[in-house]
Amino acid sequence: VAVTAAAAAALSAYTLLSGLLLRYPTLLHRRKRRHFAAAHISHRGGAAELAENTMEAFEAAVSQHRTHMLELDCQITRDGQVVVAHDNDLNRLCAKSGRIDQINYAELPPIRRDIAVTFEPGLIVTAGKDRRIPLLAEVLVAFPNVPLNIDIKEDRPDLLEAVRQLVVQHGRQDTVVWGNRSYRVVRQLRAMEPRVSTLFSMRSILFTVLLYATGLLPFVPISDDFFEPPMLSALLELEPFAAAYPNWFGRCLVRIFDKLMMSPKLIRHLHERGVPTYVWVLNQEQHFLKAFQAGCEGVMTDRPELLRRFIDSNPDCLDAYRRACDWVREDDLERERLAGRGKMD
């Protein structure tokens, strides 16, 4: 009986302390410093509106839709040029056989005129005048003040190092976040350039959700900087994804995990620790609303025009974004203060 009572008391104490630190994480952890905030994130520049990952799409997202962040993908050519493209295989993007890493940059074919949109099955986007696969360097030069979300698609040392050199060369360590689905790649990126923020790998996302579900998350340090999960319930509405879970049991598990991943308590806890949640890839207003109501700071979309209209019509959804902007200003002032003190010393 005494052992049972002691175990019950310990469990109660653990539960109370976990709940307290979940709500007030800065009692134990220092909030991560921020350099930028983003509510409007254009996936591949806006793949459902203009040809994905083109300079034309990036320019429209920034100048017409006032995006806060551009999301893009990187590959490397045979002659070592870092290009902005999602697929290494050229078939979907260019209707040509071959791989980007087996072709010199000058020999890359133009983008095909009609491109299928990954997250809107059945939708075909007609490319405009800009059908050239751009260099990452071009994007860095053209949008020096726009934060970039760089998805490095291949686990290749030459690609990782080439992207690192470009980011450092253009002084973008504070306005770039980079990552890969692989935990190993993210760990390499963190070691290569610690100043650049990293995205959670898929493994880290899963681990974070499991820590949250067991009450352990408030006690665990967080290495990465941007929590970027998919909204699984939205993906289940897409036929290719739903086909991967044909039975009710699999879909039930996906929905349970989606509930945990989109939990306002989890998202608020991460936010208070300086880790924003950016959800991908949402292209419908009801999904925008769900994400912002859960406390997400940002939404990644193929439809930057639609997201801009939604944000402008629903300013109350930006609470997390506004608070992050306040933190950015505070952190900028603190950095200026410390820099001034360093000069005096």
Side-chain angles (χ1 to χ4, degrees):
V1 175
V3 173
T4 302
L11 180 60
S12 297
Y14 165 76
T15 302
L16 288 172
L17 183 58
S18 176
L20 177 67
L21 293 175
L22 183 70
R23 182 64 184 88
Y24 303 103
T26 53
L27 292 174
L28 182 62
H29 305 280
R30 181 180 178 182
R31 177 180 61 80
K32 288 176 179 280
R33 299 306 184 193
R34 300 286 301 274
H35 289 276
F36 59 85
H40 186 294
I41 306 162
S42 296
H43 180 247
R44 306 182 196 174
E49 296 177 2
L50 289 167
E52 66 180 57
N53 282 323
T54 58
M55 296 300 290
E56 183 179 27
F58 297 141
E59 177 60 37
V62 172
S63 62
Q64 298 178 29
H65 310 309
R66 310 192 310 280
T67 197
H68 301 137
M69 172 183 275
L70 294 171
E71 190 273 349
L72 53 85
D73 310 282
C74 285
Q75 303 280 354
I76 192 166
T77 62
R78 182 170 59 187
D79 54 344
Q81 297 294 312
V82 180
V83 296
V84 181
H86 183 274
D87 305 348
N88 196 357
D89 187 291
L90 289 167
N91 182 54
R92 183 185 69 89
L93 187 62
C94 301
K96 299 287 185 180
S97 60
R99 293 166 56 91
I100 288 176
D101 60 6
Q102 296 174 348
I103 302 174
N104 291 335
Y105 178 66
E107 300 166 352
L108 285 177
I111 295 170
R112 65 193 303 167
R113 293 189 182 279
D114 299 315
I115 306 172
V117 179
T118 306
F119 291 95
E120 289 201 32
L123 177 65
I124 302 296
V125 169
T126 300
K129 296 179 180 179
D130 185 6
R131 297 174 56 203
R132 184 178 56 86
I133 298 176
L135 294 165
L136 175 60
E138 293 178 74
V139 181
L140 291 166
V141 170
F143 308 102
N145 301 313
V146 180
L148 300 181
N149 186 316
I150 300 178
D151 188 352
I152 301 175
K153 303 307 294 186
E154 303 286 333
D155 181 1
R156 294 181 46 154
D158 57 344
L159 175 57
L160 302 186
E161 177 59 21
V163 173
R164 186 199 70 81
Q165 289 182 11
L166 286 169
V167 169
V168 173
Q169 176 186 336
H170 290 86
R172 297 296 299 272
Q173 295 97 317
D174 295 334
T175 54
V176 159
V177 53
W178 58 9
N180 180 279
R181 296 179 63 182
S182 164
Y183 174 78
R184 194 175 82 90
V185 173
V186 173
R187 187 172 57 184
Q188 289 180 70
L189 291 171
R190 198 183 308 127
M192 289 169 63
E193 196 62 44
R195 186 172 157 188
V196 179
S197 298
T198 53
L199 300 165
F200 282 55
S201 65
M202 293 306 294
R203 169 178 156 180
S204 295
I205 290 173
L206 174 62
F207 188 55
T208 299
V209 173
L210 292 177
L211 286 174
Y212 167 67
T214 57
L216 289 169
L217 182 60
F219 305 100
V220 178
I222 297 176
S223 300
D224 296 310
D225 306 289
F226 287 76
F227 187 63
E228 198 171 277
M231 183 181 286
L232 297 177
S233 57
L235 291 180
L236 273 178
E237 298 176 13
L238 306 179
E239 183 57 36
F241 185 81
Y245 299 91
N247 60 68
W248 67 268
F249 182 71
R251 295 192 182 194
C252 184
L253 288 179
V254 169
R255 292 193 182 279
I256 290 172
F257 198 76
D258 179 69
K259 287 285 187 183
L260 290 170
M261 201 156 49
M262 289 291 102
S263 166
K265 290 183 179 180
L266 168 61
I267 293 169
R268 182 179 63 229
H269 175 82
L270 294 174
H271 184 71
E272 292 296 323
R273 291 176 67 170
V275 177
T277 298
Y278 296 159
V279 185
W280 57 272
V281 169
L282 309 183
N283 293 328
Q284 298 181 34
E285 290 192 348
Q286 65 265 31
H287 297 148
F288 301 162
L289 182 62
K290 178 180 177 180
F292 285 124
Q293 286 183 337
C296 297
E297 179 182 315
V299 163
M300 189 180 298
T301 185
D302 288 322
R303 294 188 172 275
E305 181 180 4
L306 181 65
L307 179 57
R308 172 48 59 192
R309 287 204 307 266
F310 177 85
I311 287 175
D312 289 347
S313 301
N314 299 273
D316 293 342
C317 71
L318 299 183
D319 288 346
Y321 168 70
R322 291 195 186 95
R323 187 165 190 194
C325 288
D326 290 339
W327 283 337
V328 170
R329 284 189 286 270
E330 291 174 12
D331 293 344
D332 284 344
L333 289 173
E334 178 65 11
R335 282 186 284 266
E336 290 176 7
R337 186 183 68 80
L338 292 175
R341 178 184 293 180
K343 290 179 181 179
M344 292 177 62
D345 294 342

